[in-house]
Amino acid sequence: MTTVPIALPEDTGRKTRVLVSTNGSAGSGKTTFASAVGYAAAARGKKVCFLPMDKQRDLSRLCGYDDPDGNEDLPTLYDVLDGICSLSEAVVPALNSKTKEVIPNLYLVLESRKLEHLEYKLAGETARELWLFRLLPELRGRFDIVIVDCPGDVKLATIGALIAGDEIIGCTKSQEKEARGLTELEDKITEIHRSYGHTGMRDSLDWVVIGEGVSNASQGKVYLDIEGQLREAYGSIVAKETVSDDVKVPEAYTAAQPVTLYSPKARASVAYTKIGRQMKLYR
């Protein structure tokens, strides 16, 4: 395999914010949040790099790479773990899947279906939970924002991200399964922090983002009640904007684009853009 040469942003020593998008449950809106807010930040001039870690490769697809494993010249995160290339050498430019043009300021490290074997791959490593903590310095200073998109579990990939990240974003929906996943994630953060707090790991969630919400009881009282419980439980760390259920989100996925690129004026896009602004990722 040969790595794809690109012009990485120069290491200016800029402050890099590493956001971890996660939940203990699959289908909680992690990738939708990461892609939407990441694109919004890049469109506003911020240097952004996605670091997705799911064998499903959804974020890679939203950034113009439908099957990274199908092209041996494309480096992936698994190739980094294999020692074939460094993390910085695995960074590629995000592409508009419709026009095939490079999206300015937006980069990513591609996923691989082989990431399902990550735990076995790192089984013999000393302090294997620190695998991402050891790699991330290659990206710090080059990007304003790195968004780590975790798989829908709290296994080794996610544990590594929780230890290495600067801010933990719990993505959820106004539904019981995803809300429970958030609680399980909190318990896991507390457990991991006991062993790795000395690295600077966060000891709690920094933000909670609620997706697929409803605006009134006639649309689903149960969903509205769950959102109320989430806001009561997490207080000020819950993003002010609830991302309402919006047909443009699945349409954007079908079109293989972040929703903020596919339909910037859609309700979901406006909400995600405001959430990124509340997080002070951009003005």
Side-chain angles (χ1 to χ4, degrees):
M1 188 199 79
T2 58
T3 57
V4 180
I6 67 163
L8 272 180
E10 182 183 355
D11 184 353
T12 62
R14 76 184 83 199
K15 177 177 173 57
T16 302
R17 291 175 64 179
V18 180
L19 311 181
V20 179
S21 175
T22 185
N23 186 302
S25 172
S28 59
K30 302 178 301 296
T31 301
T32 304
F33 162 81
S35 61
V37 172
Y39 175 78
R44 288 158 177 77
K46 299 296 183 181
K47 301 292 185 185
V48 180
C49 183
F50 292 134
L51 185 53
M53 305 191 299
D54 199 327
K55 66 180 180 180
Q56 297 296 108
R57 294 154 291 150
D58 286 339
L59 189 46
S60 298
R61 180 174 174 273
L62 294 176
C63 290
Y65 297 87
D66 191 53
D67 182 20
D69 294 302
N71 185 341
E72 64 180 15
D73 288 332
L74 286 175
T76 70
L77 180 57
Y78 199 83
D79 293 322
V80 176
L81 299 176
D82 247 347
I84 295 173
C85 61
S86 67
L87 184 62
S88 58
E89 289 172 337
V91 175
V92 297
L95 306 176
N96 184 317
S97 61
K98 182 178 180 179
T99 66
K100 305 305 179 184
E101 296 177 347
V102 169
I103 299 175
N105 301 318
L106 192 59
Y107 302 78
L108 75 154
V109 177
L110 295 171
E111 297 154 291
S112 166
R113 65 172 63 93
K114 292 185 285 186
L115 285 170
E116 66 179 316
H117 305 303
L118 182 143
E119 298 213 11
Y120 301 105
K121 181 68 181 175
L122 297 176
E125 295 283 335
T126 301
R128 62 182 187 154
E129 292 84 1
L130 295 173
W131 70 275
L132 187 56
F133 183 84
R134 291 190 284 258
L135 291 173
L136 268 178
E138 293 185 45
L139 303 184
R140 291 188 183 274
R142 295 182 181 276
F143 297 97
D144 298 295
I145 304 164
V146 173
I147 304 181
V148 185
D149 185 32
C150 297
D153 56 46
V154 194
K155 296 181 180 178
L156 187 56
T158 301
I159 290 170
L162 293 173
I163 294 170
D166 300 325
E167 300 168 49
I168 304 172
I169 291 88
C171 295
T172 187
K173 295 178 181 178
S174 301
Q175 298 176 27
E176 183 68 23
K177 179 175 76 75
E178 290 78 13
R180 283 203 317 269
L182 209 57
T183 301
E184 293 167 5
L185 173 64
E186 279 192 295
D187 293 341
K188 197 67 176 179
I189 290 171
T190 300
E191 176 188 331
I192 301 167
H193 186 267
R194 292 192 192 104
S195 298
Y196 293 99
H198 65 279
T199 66
M201 175 192 168
R202 304 291 296 155
D203 62 357
S204 62
L205 295 169
D206 294 276
W207 296 96
V208 171
V209 174
I210 303 174
E212 292 192 15
V214 299
S215 57
N216 56 66
S218 65
Q219 293 177 300
K221 185 177 185 303
V222 172
Y223 299 153
L224 202 61
D225 288 345
I226 290 174
E227 178 179 337
Q229 292 167 15
L230 286 166
R231 290 191 175 278
E232 182 178 356
Y234 293 101
S236 62
I237 69 169
V238 182
K240 294 178 182 177
E241 295 288 327
T242 295
V243 183
S244 60
D245 193 9
D246 188 342
V247 69
K248 293 297 182 181
V249 172
E251 282 184 9
Y253 179 82
T254 300
Q257 292 183 337
V259 67
T260 41
L261 168 61
Y262 174 75
S263 183
K265 295 183 180 179
R267 294 192 312 274
S269 296
V270 171
Y272 279 122
T273 301
K274 288 181 178 179
I275 288 169
R277 190 172 291 119
Q278 184 187 350
M279 292 178 176
K280 299 184 178 179
L281 298 178
Y282 44 77
R283 295 182 178 179

